[in-house]
Protein backbone atom coordinates (compact mmCIF):
# COMPACT_ATOMS: atom_id res chain seq x y z
CA UNK A 1 0.00 0.00 0.00
CA UNK A 2 1.52 3.33 -1.04
CA UNK A 3 2.33 5.68 1.79
CA UNK A 4 0.59 8.63 0.17
CA UNK A 5 -2.70 6.73 -0.05
CA UNK A 6 -3.28 5.25 3.40
CA UNK A 7 -5.75 6.94 5.71
CA UNK A 8 -5.47 4.78 8.82
CA UNK A 9 -2.77 4.71 11.46
CA UNK A 10 0.91 3.92 11.26
CA UNK A 11 1.61 0.21 11.65
CA UNK A 12 4.39 -0.25 14.19
CA UNK A 13 4.49 -4.04 14.25
CA UNK A 14 8.04 -5.26 13.41
CA UNK A 15 6.68 -7.94 11.08
CA UNK A 16 5.65 -5.15 8.70
CA UNK A 17 4.24 -6.69 5.51
CA UNK A 18 5.57 -10.19 6.21
CA UNK A 19 2.06 -11.50 6.71
CA UNK A 20 3.17 -15.02 7.51
CA UNK A 21 5.41 -13.68 10.28
CA UNK A 22 2.60 -11.54 11.67
CA UNK A 23 0.31 -14.57 11.89
CA UNK A 24 3.07 -16.65 13.51
CA UNK A 25 3.50 -13.93 16.14
CA UNK A 26 -0.12 -14.50 17.12
CA UNK A 27 0.54 -18.21 17.54
CA UNK A 28 3.68 -17.57 19.60
CA UNK A 29 1.78 -15.24 21.93
CA UNK A 30 -0.76 -18.04 22.35
CA UNK A 31 2.02 -20.52 23.25
CA UNK A 32 2.10 -22.43 19.94
CA UNK A 33 5.34 -23.02 18.03
CA UNK A 34 4.49 -25.25 15.04
CA UNK A 35 3.91 -22.33 12.67
CA UNK A 36 7.13 -20.71 13.91
CA UNK A 37 9.05 -23.86 13.03
CA UNK A 38 7.64 -23.82 9.51
CA UNK A 39 8.22 -20.07 9.04
CA UNK A 40 11.87 -20.43 10.04
CA UNK A 41 12.50 -23.70 8.20
CA UNK A 42 11.73 -22.06 4.87
CA UNK A 43 14.42 -19.42 5.53
CA UNK A 44 17.42 -21.76 5.83
CA UNK A 45 18.77 -20.50 2.49
CA UNK A 46 17.69 -16.87 3.02
CA UNK A 47 19.82 -15.49 5.84
CA UNK A 48 18.32 -11.99 5.75
CA UNK A 49 14.79 -13.32 6.18
CA UNK A 50 15.95 -15.84 8.80
CA UNK A 51 17.55 -13.09 10.88
CA UNK A 52 14.47 -10.88 10.56
CA UNK A 53 11.92 -13.54 11.45
CA UNK A 54 13.88 -15.08 14.31
CA UNK A 55 14.51 -11.69 15.91
CA UNK A 56 10.86 -10.65 15.73
CA UNK A 57 9.67 -14.00 17.08
CA UNK A 58 12.19 -13.88 19.91
CA UNK A 59 10.78 -10.55 21.04
CA UNK A 60 7.37 -12.20 21.26
CA UNK A 61 8.63 -15.32 23.06
CA UNK A 62 11.23 -13.90 25.46
CA UNK A 63 8.79 -13.50 28.33
CA UNK A 64 7.39 -17.03 28.06
CA UNK A 65 8.62 -20.62 28.32
CA UNK A 66 7.69 -21.40 24.71
CA UNK A 67 11.22 -21.88 23.37
CA UNK A 68 12.19 -24.10 26.30
CA UNK A 69 9.20 -26.36 25.60
CA UNK A 70 9.89 -26.30 21.87
CA UNK A 71 13.54 -27.26 22.30
CA UNK A 72 12.65 -30.09 24.69
CA UNK A 73 9.88 -31.47 22.50
CA UNK A 74 11.41 -30.95 19.05
CA UNK A 75 15.15 -30.28 19.14
CA UNK A 76 16.38 -29.05 15.78
CA UNK A 77 17.92 -26.08 13.94
CA UNK A 78 14.85 -23.87 14.31
CA UNK A 79 14.18 -24.49 17.99
CA UNK A 80 17.91 -24.14 18.75
CA UNK A 81 18.06 -20.83 16.90
CA UNK A 82 15.01 -19.51 18.72
CA UNK A 83 16.46 -20.58 22.06
CA UNK A 84 19.64 -18.66 21.22
CA UNK A 85 17.68 -15.58 20.17
CA UNK A 86 15.56 -15.56 23.31
CA UNK A 87 18.51 -16.30 25.61
CA UNK A 88 20.48 -13.38 24.14
CA UNK A 89 17.57 -11.00 24.59
CA UNK A 90 17.19 -12.06 28.22
CA UNK A 91 20.93 -11.71 28.89
CA UNK A 92 21.10 -8.21 27.41
CA UNK A 93 18.02 -7.02 29.27
CA UNK A 94 19.39 -8.38 32.53
CA UNK A 95 22.77 -6.71 31.98
CA UNK A 96 21.18 -3.36 31.12
CA UNK A 97 19.02 -3.60 34.25
CA UNK A 98 22.05 -4.54 36.42
CA UNK A 99 20.23 -7.72 37.36
CA UNK A 100 22.26 -10.05 39.58
CA UNK A 101 21.40 -12.91 37.21
CA UNK A 102 23.03 -11.19 34.22
CA UNK A 103 26.29 -13.14 34.25
CA UNK A 104 24.54 -16.51 34.47
CA UNK A 105 22.11 -15.54 31.72
CA UNK A 106 24.99 -14.49 29.50
CA UNK A 107 26.65 -17.89 29.92
CA UNK A 108 23.37 -19.57 29.01
CA UNK A 109 23.03 -17.33 25.95
CA UNK A 110 26.55 -18.08 24.72
CA UNK A 111 25.94 -21.81 25.11
CA UNK A 112 22.64 -21.47 23.26
CA UNK A 113 24.37 -19.65 20.38
CA UNK A 114 26.99 -22.38 20.19
CA UNK A 115 24.29 -25.04 20.11
CA UNK A 116 22.39 -23.24 17.33
CA UNK A 117 25.59 -22.88 15.32
CA UNK A 118 26.41 -26.57 15.74
CA UNK A 119 22.90 -27.49 14.55
CA UNK A 120 23.29 -25.38 11.40
CA UNK A 121 26.96 -24.44 10.82
CA UNK A 122 26.19 -22.42 7.68
CA UNK A 123 23.82 -20.05 9.49
CA UNK A 124 25.36 -16.67 10.44
CA UNK A 125 22.39 -15.75 12.68
CA UNK A 126 23.83 -17.20 15.93
CA UNK A 127 27.01 -15.23 15.29
CA UNK A 128 25.03 -12.03 14.81
CA UNK A 129 23.34 -12.81 18.13
CA UNK A 130 26.75 -13.21 19.78
CA UNK A 131 27.78 -9.83 18.38
CA UNK A 132 24.79 -8.29 20.16
CA UNK A 133 26.34 -9.40 23.47
CA UNK A 134 29.87 -8.23 22.67
CA UNK A 135 29.30 -4.87 24.33
CA UNK A 136 28.81 -6.58 27.69
CA UNK A 137 32.53 -7.41 27.94
CA UNK A 138 34.13 -5.05 25.41
CA UNK A 139 36.62 -7.32 23.57
CA UNK A 140 39.66 -5.49 22.25
CA UNK A 141 40.73 -7.25 19.06
CA UNK A 142 42.96 -4.92 16.99
CA UNK A 143 41.28 -3.21 14.05
CA UNK A 144 42.43 -4.02 10.50
CA UNK A 145 44.31 -1.51 8.38
CA UNK A 146 42.28 1.22 6.75
CA UNK A 147 40.62 2.86 9.74
CA UNK A 148 41.74 6.29 10.89
CA UNK A 149 40.99 5.71 14.58
CA UNK A 150 41.84 1.97 14.63
CA UNK A 151 39.17 1.23 17.27
CA UNK A 152 39.58 -2.17 18.96
CA UNK A 153 36.53 -4.37 19.22
CA UNK A 154 35.03 -7.79 18.42
CA UNK A 155 36.74 -7.94 15.05
CA UNK A 156 37.43 -11.71 15.15
CA UNK A 157 33.82 -12.54 15.97
CA UNK A 158 32.64 -10.22 13.20
CA UNK A 159 35.10 -11.73 10.73
CA UNK A 160 33.74 -15.21 11.40
CA UNK A 161 30.18 -14.04 10.74
CA UNK A 162 31.33 -12.59 7.43
CA UNK A 163 32.82 -15.92 6.36
CA UNK A 164 29.26 -17.26 6.42
CA UNK A 165 27.60 -14.23 4.82
CA UNK A 166 29.83 -11.30 3.82
CA UNK A 167 26.96 -8.79 3.63
CA UNK A 168 24.84 -9.97 6.56
CA UNK A 169 22.82 -6.95 7.57
CA UNK A 170 22.25 -7.74 11.23
CA UNK A 171 25.87 -8.74 11.84
CA UNK A 172 27.02 -5.38 10.46
CA UNK A 173 24.53 -3.42 12.55
CA UNK A 174 25.35 -5.35 15.73
CA UNK A 175 29.04 -4.81 15.12
CA UNK A 176 28.63 -1.08 14.47
CA UNK A 177 26.52 -0.69 17.62
CA UNK A 178 29.47 -1.93 19.69
CA UNK A 179 31.22 1.39 18.90
CA UNK A 180 28.31 3.67 19.86
CA UNK A 181 28.97 6.06 22.74
CA UNK A 182 26.04 4.65 24.73
CA UNK A 183 27.88 1.32 24.84
CA UNK A 184 31.28 2.73 25.70
CA UNK A 185 32.54 3.67 22.25
CA UNK A 186 33.24 7.07 20.71
CA UNK A 187 31.62 9.26 18.06
CA UNK A 188 34.72 9.26 15.87
CA UNK A 189 35.19 5.52 16.27
CA UNK A 190 31.60 4.81 15.24
CA UNK A 191 31.86 7.09 12.21
CA UNK A 192 35.15 5.47 11.23
CA UNK A 193 33.74 1.93 11.47
CA UNK A 194 30.52 2.89 9.66
CA UNK A 195 32.46 4.45 6.77
CA UNK A 196 34.82 1.46 6.60
CA UNK A 197 31.96 -1.05 6.44
CA UNK A 198 29.87 0.99 4.00
CA UNK A 199 32.75 1.47 1.57
CA UNK A 200 33.28 -2.30 1.43
CA UNK A 201 29.62 -3.01 0.64
CA UNK A 202 28.17 -3.25 -2.89
CA UNK A 203 26.62 -0.04 -4.20
CA UNK A 204 23.12 -1.51 -4.07
CA UNK A 205 23.42 -2.79 -0.50
CA UNK A 206 21.48 -1.44 2.48
CA UNK A 207 24.83 -1.47 4.31
CA UNK A 208 25.62 1.78 2.48
CA UNK A 209 23.24 3.36 5.01
CA UNK A 210 25.49 2.58 7.99
CA UNK A 211 27.05 6.08 8.09
CA UNK A 212 23.55 7.55 8.41
CA UNK A 213 22.89 5.23 11.37
CA UNK A 214 26.09 6.41 13.04
CA UNK A 215 25.14 10.02 12.37
CA UNK A 216 21.80 9.62 14.14
CA UNK A 217 23.55 7.96 17.09
CA UNK A 218 25.93 10.90 17.41
CA UNK A 219 23.18 13.54 17.29
CA UNK A 220 23.63 16.14 20.02
CA UNK A 221 20.76 18.67 20.10
CA UNK A 222 22.82 21.05 22.23
CA UNK A 223 25.38 21.61 19.48
CA UNK A 224 25.09 24.69 17.32
CA UNK A 225 23.10 24.00 14.13
CA UNK A 226 22.76 20.33 15.08
CA UNK A 227 19.73 19.92 12.79
CA UNK A 228 21.69 21.19 9.80
CA UNK A 229 24.38 18.48 9.89
CA UNK A 230 22.54 16.33 7.32
CA UNK A 231 22.82 19.19 4.81
CA UNK A 232 26.60 18.90 4.75
CA UNK A 233 27.88 17.55 1.40
CA UNK A 234 29.24 14.25 2.76
CA UNK A 235 25.98 13.28 4.46
CA UNK A 236 23.75 14.57 1.68
CA UNK A 237 25.82 12.61 -0.84
CA UNK A 238 25.55 9.44 1.28
CA UNK A 239 21.76 9.73 1.40
CA UNK A 240 21.38 10.50 -2.29
CA UNK A 241 23.69 7.63 -3.26
CA UNK A 242 21.60 5.20 -1.22
CA UNK A 243 18.45 6.62 -2.79
CA UNK A 244 19.89 6.14 -6.27
CA UNK A 245 21.54 2.73 -5.83
CA UNK A 246 19.70 0.94 -3.02
CA UNK A 247 16.08 2.14 -3.04
CA UNK A 248 15.33 0.58 -6.48
CA UNK A 249 16.28 -2.83 -5.07
CA UNK A 250 13.67 -2.70 -2.29
CA UNK A 251 10.91 -3.90 -4.61
CA UNK A 252 12.70 -7.27 -4.77
CA UNK A 253 12.80 -7.79 -0.99
CA UNK A 254 10.63 -10.50 0.57
CA UNK A 255 9.61 -8.04 3.28
CA UNK A 256 9.72 -4.25 3.40
CA UNK A 257 12.97 -3.16 5.11
CA UNK A 258 11.18 -0.50 7.15
CA UNK A 259 14.05 0.43 9.47
CA UNK A 260 16.51 1.00 6.62
CA UNK A 261 13.91 2.99 4.71
CA UNK A 262 13.23 5.09 7.80
CA UNK A 263 16.91 6.03 8.17
CA UNK A 264 17.07 6.95 4.50
CA UNK A 265 13.82 8.95 4.56
CA UNK A 266 14.92 10.81 7.68
CA UNK A 267 18.30 11.71 6.17
CA UNK A 268 16.70 12.91 2.93
CA UNK A 269 14.21 15.10 4.76
CA UNK A 270 16.95 16.59 6.93
CA UNK A 271 19.08 17.20 3.81
CA UNK A 272 16.19 19.09 2.18
CA UNK A 273 15.71 16.44 -0.52
CA UNK A 274 11.92 16.40 -0.45
CA UNK A 275 11.35 14.64 -3.78
CA UNK A 276 13.62 11.73 -2.87
CA UNK A 277 12.20 11.53 0.66
CA UNK A 278 8.68 11.28 -0.73
CA UNK A 279 9.62 8.27 -2.86
CA UNK A 280 11.27 6.62 0.14
CA UNK A 281 8.22 7.14 2.34
CA UNK A 282 6.07 5.69 -0.44
CA UNK A 283 8.22 2.55 -0.42
CA UNK A 284 7.67 2.28 3.37
CA UNK A 285 3.89 2.25 3.03
CA UNK A 286 2.08 2.58 6.38
CA UNK A 287 4.79 0.73 8.31
CA UNK A 288 6.80 2.54 10.95
CA UNK A 289 9.67 2.02 13.37
CA UNK A 290 10.69 3.93 16.49
CA UNK A 291 14.18 4.61 15.19
CA UNK A 292 15.44 7.00 14.01
CA UNK A 293 12.50 9.20 14.94
CA UNK A 294 12.68 8.57 18.70
CA UNK A 295 16.10 10.27 18.87
CA UNK A 296 14.44 13.58 18.00
CA UNK A 297 11.19 13.33 19.96
CA UNK A 298 8.01 11.30 20.09
CA UNK A 299 8.32 8.87 17.14
CA UNK A 300 4.85 9.29 15.65
CA UNK A 301 5.07 13.08 15.88
CA UNK A 302 8.51 13.16 14.26
CA UNK A 303 7.44 10.78 11.50
CA UNK A 304 4.38 12.91 10.76
CA UNK A 305 6.49 16.06 10.76
CA UNK A 306 8.87 14.49 8.24
CA UNK A 307 6.03 13.36 5.99
CA UNK A 308 4.50 16.83 6.02
CA UNK A 309 7.88 18.31 5.11
CA UNK A 310 7.81 16.48 1.79
CA UNK A 311 4.13 17.06 1.06
CA UNK A 312 2.69 13.73 2.18
CA UNK A 313 -0.49 13.31 4.21
CA UNK A 314 -0.40 11.85 7.70
CA UNK A 315 -2.78 9.36 9.32
CA UNK A 316 -5.92 10.75 10.88
Amino acid sequence: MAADLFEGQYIWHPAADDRLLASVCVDVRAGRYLSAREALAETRADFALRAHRSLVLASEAAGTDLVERWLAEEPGPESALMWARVAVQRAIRAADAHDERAEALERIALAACDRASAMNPADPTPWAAKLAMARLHRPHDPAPDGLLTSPPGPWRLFAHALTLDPWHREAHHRFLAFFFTRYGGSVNGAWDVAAFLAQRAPAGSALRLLPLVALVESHNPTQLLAERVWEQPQWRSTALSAYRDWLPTVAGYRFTPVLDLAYLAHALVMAQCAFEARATFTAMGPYATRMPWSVFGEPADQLSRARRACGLPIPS
Side-chain angles (χ1 to χ4, degrees):
M1 184 184 296
D4 55 356
L5 298 179
F6 76 91
E7 298 178 354
Q9 300 298 314
Y10 297 127
I11 299 174
W12 299 91
H13 197 288
D17 57 348
D18 186 341
R19 295 183 179 180
L20 174 60
L21 177 58
S23 67
V24 173
C25 285
V26 175
D27 283 347
V28 168
R29 286 195 293 271
R32 299 186 293 265
Y33 62 76
L34 293 181
S35 61
R37 181 192 64 197
E38 295 169 3
L40 289 177
E42 74 169 27
T43 69
R44 290 185 189 177
D46 186 337
F47 296 142
L49 187 62
R50 190 170 182 81
H52 169 63
R53 284 184 175 175
S54 61
L55 188 60
V56 172
L57 291 175
S59 67
E60 297 285 355
T64 74
D65 67 347
L66 181 137
V67 293
E68 287 91 339
R69 289 192 291 105
W70 182 2
L71 191 62
E73 295 170 8
E74 293 191 7
E78 280 62 57
S79 57
L81 176 60
M82 282 302 300
W83 170 229
R85 284 297 214 178
V86 165
V88 167
Q89 286 199 15
R90 291 172 180 168
I92 290 174
R93 290 174 185 174
D96 290 344
H98 304 290
D99 191 310
E100 62 182 11
R101 301 169 298 168
E103 188 174 338
L105 289 173
E106 184 182 358
R107 288 196 299 270
I108 292 171
L110 288 171
C113 289
D114 289 340
R115 178 172 181 171
S117 181
M119 285 275 192
N120 187 359
D123 186 4
T125 318
W127 297 92
K130 277 189 176 184
L131 280 166
M133 291 193 294
R135 64 180 175 85
L136 302 183
H137 290 295
R138 310 295 304 172
H140 281 73
D141 306 337
D145 295 336
L147 287 93
L148 295 175
T149 59
S150 298
W155 290 96
R156 284 196 291 265
L157 182 59
F158 181 55
H160 185 84
L162 299 192
T163 64
L164 301 174
D165 183 359
W167 313 120
H168 195 268
R169 181 197 178 279
E170 185 182 346
H172 279 75
H173 279 264
R174 297 294 192 187
F175 181 67
L176 175 59
F178 175 90
F179 300 95
F180 291 164
T181 55
R182 57 182 160 134
Y183 298 141
S186 69
V187 170
N188 288 337
W191 282 352
D192 197 8
V193 170
F196 177 76
L197 298 179
Q199 288 164 6
R200 293 175 62 256
S205 169
L207 299 178
R208 289 295 183 110
L209 296 167
L210 288 171
L212 301 179
V213 176
L215 184 59
V216 169
E217 280 292 326
S218 68
H219 176 66
N220 182 354
T222 66
Q223 290 182 337
L224 184 65
L225 301 177
E227 302 293 323
R228 304 293 295 274
V229 172
W230 283 263
E231 297 178 38
Q232 295 178 7
Q234 70 183 100
W235 303 116
R236 194 171 190 270
S237 175
T238 298
L240 288 173
S241 294
Y243 169 80
R244 180 187 67 246
D245 297 326
W246 172 68
L247 186 64
T249 72
V250 169
Y253 278 49
R254 290 187 64 182
F255 62 93
T256 299
V258 183
L259 184 58
D260 290 329
L261 287 167
Y263 273 103
L264 178 56
H266 170 265
L268 290 168
V269 169
M270 299 294 280
Q272 306 298 319
C273 301
F275 174 83
E276 293 83 357
R278 182 185 180 102
T280 307
F281 278 124
T282 299
M284 286 172 61
Y287 305 105
T289 59
R290 289 185 54 80
M291 288 293 287
W293 316 109
S294 60
V295 171
F296 306 89
E298 201 284 321
D301 291 344
Q302 294 298 313
L303 175 55
S304 293
R305 177 185 175 188
R307 285 176 58 85
R308 286 195 200 96
C310 54
L312 289 172
I314 63 172
S316 57

